[in-house]
Amino acid sequence: MRTLTIATERFPVRGAFTIARGAKTHVDVVTATISEGGRQGRGEATAVYYRGELAESVAAAAAAQADPIAGGASRADLLTLMPAGAARNALDCALWDLEAKQAGTSVRELLGLPPFRPLLTAYTISLDAPAAMAEAAAKVRARELIKVKLGGADGPAADIARMAAVRAAAPDARFVVDANEGWGGTDIARTAAALAALGVELIEQPVPAGDDGQLDGLHAEIPLCADESCHDRASLDQIIGRYRFINIKLDKAGGLTEAHALAHAARQRGLGVMTGCMLGTSLAIAPAFHIAVQSDYADLDGPLLIEDRDGGLKFEHSDVWPPAPALWG
C-alpha cells in the first residue's frame, strides 16, 4: 500500500528577492513523499501567492489526499480530484518520481524526450532603484540571459530607466523583463518600443490578470508573455490574440502532467513557451527541466536565489544541468 508524508521546509533567500508586490527573505516549500514497496517518490511545491495559497494551505490540501493516494490514485486521477495549484504539483511530481523508480527507467524516457543536455537559463535581477539594479547586473554581466523584474509603483518611465541602467551594466547579455502586472492603464506599446531599443526580447505580464482585455488590438514591438494570466489549459482561450507566449510553472499548472499537456496545447495554438518557477529548491526545478527542454526560454534560477538543499542541481556559467537520478526522476 502507498503511504503519503507531507512536510514543510524553510530555505533562506540569498539577500532579498524583490518584485513589485514586495520582498522575501525566505521561502517555505511543501514536500510530498509517496512510498510503496521500498521505493519513494518525492515532489516539491511552493505556494502560488497570487492564487491565495499559503504553505499551510498547500500542505493541508496535499495531506487531504492521503486516502486516495493509499488507494492507488494515479496522476490522471489527481486531475479530477484536485484543482490546479501547488498541492497537486507536489503529489503529481512525487508520483512521477515513484513511477520511474518502479519501472527502472527515467521520467525523461516515460515522456519520450530525447537525451538531455545542459540548458540555458535566465538569471533574475530583483526590482530596485536603477543604481542598485545596475550594480546587481554588473555582478552577473557574464550571464547570457538575464531576467529583470520591473513593474515598480513609480511607473513605466522609471522602469525604462531601470532597464537602461541594467543594459549599461551588462552590455552583452540578452534580456527579458517581468512587469508583474504593473503596467495596467498605461501606454504599453510606447513602453515596449523603448525597451525594444534596449534589446529586450520578451515582456511578461504587463497588465493585471483578469484585465487582459487591455491588450486587445495592441501592437507591441516585443512579444508579450502571459504569466499570472495563464495557469493551465483552461487559461488558453483568454490568451490567444493578446499574448504570444505563456510562462508555464508547475506550481500554477498543478504538476508535470498538466504542464506537459499545456506545453503541447500551446504549441498547437501557435504560442511560444517559457518555463518558469517559483522560489524553490532543486527538487522543484528537476521536473520543470522536463518542460524547459521543450520551451523557447527557461527561467529555472530558483535554486540560485536561495540556500538550496544538499545534492541540488548543477549550475555552471549560464546553464543548468539535467537532474541526477538521486535528486529526482
Side-chain angles (χ1 to χ4, degrees), residues 216-285:
D216 289 344
L218 177 69
H219 298 285
E221 291 189 33
I222 302 173
L224 305 181
C225 176
D227 183 0
E228 288 86 349
S229 291
C230 183
H231 294 248
D232 54 14
R233 284 172 289 177
S235 306
L236 288 179
D237 284 345
Q238 69 182 11
I239 300 305
I240 302 301
R242 293 169 174 171
Y243 298 92
R244 289 163 55 188
F245 282 75
I246 63 169
N247 186 334
I248 298 177
K249 296 176 181 174
L250 270 60
D251 285 310
K252 291 189 301 177
L256 178 59
T257 301
E258 176 63 22
H260 184 64
L262 175 57
H264 179 69
R267 292 296 191 194
Q268 286 188 315
R269 303 191 71 168
L271 293 167
V273 174
M274 168 187 275
T275 299
C277 63
M278 307 296 288
L279 281 179
T281 79
S282 288
L283 180 58
I285 301 305

Side-chain angles (χ1 to χ4, degrees), residues 35-53:
S35 304
E36 183 179 34
R39 293 184 173 88
Q40 292 185 334
R42 298 189 300 161
E44 178 188 307
T46 300
V48 183
Y49 53 88
Y50 46 82
R51 292 176 61 101
E53 296 178 347

